[in-house]
Amino acid sequence: MATTSNITVRPPRVYPRGTCHSPEMIADLSRAAWEFRIQVLRMIYNYKTGHLGGAFSIAEVLTALFFHHLRLDPERPDWPERDRLIFSKGHACAMLYPCRAYRGFFPPEELMTFRALDSRLQGHPERQKLPGIEVPAGPLGHGVAIGAGMAHAARMDGRRHRVYVVLGDGELNSGPIWEGALVAAKYQLDQLVAIVDYNGVQQTGTTTHVMPTEPITDKWRAFNWHVLDIHEHNMAEVLDALDQADEVHGRPTVIIGRGTKGKGVSFMEGDSYWHGAPPTPEQFAAALQELRKGAEQWER
Amino acid sequence: MGTIVRETFGEPFSARKAYGQALVEMGEHFPNMVVLSADVSNSDHSFMFEAVYPERFFNVGIAEQALVDVAVGMAHSGKLPVANTFAFLFATRALEQVRTHCAYGEANVKLAGAYGGLSDSFDGPTHQSESDLAILRSLPNLAVVVPSDPVSIRKLLKKTLEWPGPVYFRLCRNEVIPVFHENNYDPEIGKGIVLMDGKDATIVCCGVLVARCIEAARQLARDGIFVRVVEMHTLKPVDEELTVRCARETGALVTVEEHTVIGGLGGAVAEVLAARHPVPLERVGVADRFAETGPYDALLDRYGMSRADITSAVRRALERKK
């Protein structure tokens, strides 16, 4: 069943942090995000298991982080000066894996082993199995407090690397997120940036229905965080927000990335069914077609 | 080498103060060590570390889950964190953090569980920890260590900090009886220590009850029953070889712990015996129930851990051995 013959991803160039956000760069990263969605669709279809919706919604953010903003060295995944990425919404790791693979951390040929027995690509990320996974993730609510610990350790050591925590919006239901938010604000951890995949849908319904999160920006401001409010599928906005967060001093930053769960496939968008369901063959074919169109719009 | 156990026990000494002193001492020995507390530093005595190393001390507030997760982040960044809160909170409220990130994620965090067993006696069952050892012992990758007297606290804390992975280090709130000679007590994680030798049965014990076990063994010796006493300060990895050797050589075992008889030291020893060398086993501890408010020693007596409970258990084990 597993096959690597149909990998179609053309990874983007790596644009080191500080590179001017040219139209070419934005197009290249945007196209890659769509192609990563195709990769994710194939990975989840392969073994008929995984989380599509929250992986699709975080595509642009992860592409921007891995191919532009994070200071990383795939040859040295333990490089002490590397930026840390805590992928707190671990269920969406189907999108984390392609980004890490095409960034050079492990062979992309392994991607189609996702969720198979003996695979390094566990159903939720395992730290010891894959180079560069900072912490396991899956049980929600850990990222902010762990990130606070990492950011504080960095500051104690006089290191300037930054710590990025990717959260789901449903994850904000979890109390320890707010414990971590208090700690990060108390210690003024400006090396810490949280990014909320604010796609409005969680496992059993909309966030509005399950557990209302609004007013979301006011909540974080009340916790003494600097807040940036963007559209997470707009690559230029994502890139600019990451740059702006670098300039914040004396407090942590949260980027609220407003977007769409299941982004890119019309019948998946905004539907909680696609939180953790695999597609049928017909749905797979239809989704593939839509995602290819999405990628093509960025071909130059 | 002289004896490990003092002929005459020392004057009772605060276990918390011994721990606080040990933290300060270790702070000099381990430059990357940091100490965190969930706003109970004057209870757990980590305030003593804070006073000397304020830049390496963090009060995360009344937030035990964040306590563990912040420590996890620091551990993955090269720090050697000692997280402090009440024992039952590590085993219950922050258990998911401990399990996912310390155990599964192998974050090298030391979890110092204050007020272990019934030692927060007057605060009552909400604050006592009758089940922590059973809960935490079941987690892969997590070592479980229970020091006994002030010397043991100091020496085992050092070993705990040197241990390459996460450790749950269970402490006592109250004054404890100094049992060991400083110079002759040399513990290693995972190795039980024969404190007294004997041929008739073996008492395997941990924590503050070690003193009572020695007294019980001395009492039994006056009646012609010669009991070996083993301090099993590490419940995980438990010293299987010593346990089996004691079963072979003495033919009956009694475990003594300040914890429910389910799943703690008694459980660990029972598992070893069942798999490798079945012999009669009696388990002394709390009988699968919550305790109540009251003076510490009186609670230990009432809830099944008196000296008489220990000697009776030995006699029962000897009966079953016949």
Side-chain angles (χ1 to χ4, degrees), chain B residues 6-320:
Chain B
R6 296 178 184 219
E7 185 60 36
T8 306
F9 292 159
E11 287 299 310
F13 189 86
S14 163
R16 294 192 277 176
K17 192 172 175 188
Y19 170 68
Q21 289 171 342
L23 275 183
V24 172
E25 185 185 333
M26 296 305 132
E28 183 167 4
H29 198 82
F30 298 93
N32 61 337
M33 176 181 160
V34 293
V35 174
L36 303 92
S37 178
D39 202 34
V40 285
S41 58
N42 52 347
S43 300
D44 59 43
H45 273 45
S46 61
F47 77 87
M48 294 171 71
F49 184 92
E50 180 185 19
V52 181
Y53 300 105
E55 75 289 353
R56 288 157 65 186
F57 178 85
F58 306 96
N59 184 348
V60 300
I62 308 163
E64 293 77 17
Q65 298 172 87
L67 171 75
V68 175
D69 274 346
V70 170
V72 165
M74 289 189 166
H76 285 317
S77 304
K79 301 298 174 197
L80 184 56
V82 181
N84 293 267
T85 189
F86 297 145
F88 78 92
L89 288 168
F90 282 125
T92 54
R93 184 174 294 194
L95 179 60
E96 198 271 308
Q97 281 71 16
V98 173
R99 169 263 191 186
T100 300
H101 288 290
C102 300
Y104 178 56
E106 296 181 16
N108 187 14
V109 176
K110 314 306 178 185
L111 307 162
Y115 292 18
L118 307 186
S119 67
D120 196 11
S121 66
F122 290 109
D123 279 334
T126 54
H127 283 55
Q128 295 160 3
S129 72
E130 72 300 315
S131 309
D132 54 329
L133 300 176
I135 293 167
L136 295 168
R137 195 175 69 82
S138 69
L139 298 178
N141 296 335
L142 182 71
V144 176
V145 175
V146 185
S148 48
D149 83 340
V151 170
S152 168
I153 289 169
R154 193 171 123 253
K155 295 205 172 185
L156 279 168
L157 180 62
K158 183 158 186 284
K159 296 294 179 183
T160 290
L161 289 163
E162 289 168 349
W163 185 255
V167 179
Y168 175 61
F169 190 74
R170 192 215 217 195
L171 292 155
C172 175
R173 180 190 182 280
N174 300 320
E175 291 196 330
V176 295
I177 298 169
V179 173
F180 301 127
H181 283 299
E182 168 92 31
N183 296 335
N184 300 336
Y185 181 76
D186 190 21
E188 294 289 340
I189 305 281
K191 296 286 177 198
I193 301 173
V194 178
L195 302 178
M196 293 171 61
D197 209 358
K199 61 179 176 30
D200 295 328
T202 303
I203 295 174
V204 181
C205 54
C206 65
V208 301
L209 296 177
V210 167
R212 289 185 172 202
C213 290
I214 292 166
E215 289 168 344
R218 288 173 175 169
Q219 173 69 41
L220 288 163
R222 286 194 277 274
D223 298 339
I225 298 169
F226 298 98
V227 177
R228 181 181 294 178
V229 179
V230 169
E231 189 204 21
M232 196 66 83
H233 50 70
T234 306
L235 273 67
K236 191 173 185 181
V238 75
D239 190 341
E240 288 198 27
E241 297 313 315
L242 178 59
T243 304
V244 170
R245 184 155 63 83
C246 292
R248 282 209 182 96
E249 292 174 357
T250 70
L253 270 65
V254 174
T255 56
V256 180
E257 63 194 309
E258 190 186 349
H259 185 267
T260 167
V261 293
I262 297 172
L265 178 63
V269 169
E271 288 158 19
V272 174
L273 295 184
R276 296 188 53 185
H277 195 89
V279 296
L281 169 68
E282 293 289 329
R283 292 166 298 146
V284 173
V286 182
D288 191 22
R289 57 178 169 163
F290 291 103
E292 63 187 291
T293 291
Y296 186 37
D297 280 339
L299 281 190
L300 292 176
D301 288 345
R302 178 173 295 184
Y303 286 87
M305 293 154 285
S306 69
R307 290 164 192 79
D309 289 319
I310 298 167
T311 54
S312 300
V314 170
R315 291 179 194 276
R316 283 199 306 278
L318 288 175
E319 277 300 311
R320 291 172 57 196

Side-chain angles (χ1 to χ4, degrees), chain A residues 161-239:
Chain A
H161 62 259
R162 301 179 64 76
V163 181
Y164 295 88
V165 179
V166 176
L167 304 168
D169 53 359
E171 185 175 10
L172 303 184
N173 299 173
S174 180
I177 290 289
W178 303 102
E179 293 184 4
L182 289 169
V183 173
K186 170 184 173 179
Y187 290 105
Q188 305 177 344
L189 299 175
D190 51 20
Q191 284 162 280
L192 179 66
V193 178
I195 305 163
V196 180
D197 178 8
Y198 203 68
N199 61 36
V201 177
Q202 54 195 101
Q203 182 162 332
T204 65
T206 62
T207 55
T208 309
H209 175 72
V210 176
M211 191 53 64
T213 43
E214 291 293 342
I216 190 64
T217 53
D218 290 347
K219 278 195 178 65
W220 286 94
R221 280 196 193 99
F223 277 74
N224 287 327
W225 284 55
H226 183 74
V227 180
L228 297 167
D229 196 356
I230 65 162
H231 298 96
E232 65 174 337
H233 304 310
N234 182 319
M235 186 60 74
E237 286 194 34
V238 173
L239 297 173

Side-chain angles (χ1 to χ4, degrees), chain A residues 46-270:
Chain A
N46 196 31
Y47 284 101
K48 307 289 187 294
T49 172
H51 297 79
L52 280 170
F56 282 1
S57 55
I58 202 65
E60 281 79 14
V61 167
L62 285 184
T63 305
L65 284 168
F66 275 98
F67 294 89
H68 172 61
H69 205 80
L70 296 179
R71 288 197 179 90
L72 300 168
D73 182 356
E75 301 299 315
R76 292 183 296 161
D78 295 333
W79 178 38
E81 308 284 342
R82 72 191 182 282
D83 289 332
R84 269 56 166 185
L85 176 70
I86 310 294
F87 194 66
S88 195
K89 48 172 278 173
H91 59 281
C93 60
M95 187 59 76
L96 178 70
Y97 292 144
C99 288
R100 295 208 84 93
Y102 288 105
R103 185 65 175 82
F105 283 89
F106 63 92
E109 289 72 26
E110 272 186 66
L111 288 170
M112 295 304 276
T113 69
F114 175 55
R115 293 198 160 208
L117 195 62
D118 294 328
S119 175
R120 295 197 292 174
L121 282 62
Q122 293 288 290
H124 290 80
E126 178 173 335
R127 193 181 135 259
Q128 296 90 330
K129 282 204 163 68
L130 265 188
I133 301 290
E134 302 287 352
V135 291
L140 298 169
H142 293 280
V144 176
I146 292 176
M150 289 185 174
H152 212 309
R155 188 166 76 191
M156 287 177 79
D157 292 342
R159 296 187 193 278
R160 300 188 59 187
H161 62 259
R162 301 179 64 76
V163 181
Y164 295 88
V165 179
V166 176
L167 304 168
D169 53 359
E171 185 175 10
L172 303 184
N173 299 173
S174 180
I177 290 289
W178 303 102
E179 293 184 4
L182 289 169
V183 173
K186 170 184 173 179
Y187 290 105
Q188 305 177 344
L189 299 175
D190 51 20
Q191 284 162 280
L192 179 66
V193 178
I195 305 163
V196 180
D197 178 8
Y198 203 68
N199 61 36
V201 177
Q202 54 195 101
Q203 182 162 332
T204 65
T206 62
T207 55
T208 309
H209 175 72
V210 176
M211 191 53 64
T213 43
E214 291 293 342
I216 190 64
T217 53
D218 290 347
K219 278 195 178 65
W220 286 94
R221 280 196 193 99
F223 277 74
N224 287 327
W225 284 55
H226 183 74
V227 180
L228 297 167
D229 196 356
I230 65 162
H231 298 96
E232 65 174 337
H233 304 310
N234 182 319
M235 186 60 74
E237 286 194 34
V238 173
L239 297 173
D240 289 346
L242 290 170
D243 281 354
Q244 286 171 36
D246 287 350
E247 303 304 318
V248 174
H249 298 290
R251 60 178 57 193
T253 296
V254 62
I255 300 171
I256 306 296
R258 294 181 193 266
T260 305
K261 189 145 176 165
K263 171 70 179 176
V265 176
S266 55
F267 59 87
M268 294 183 183
E269 288 188 354

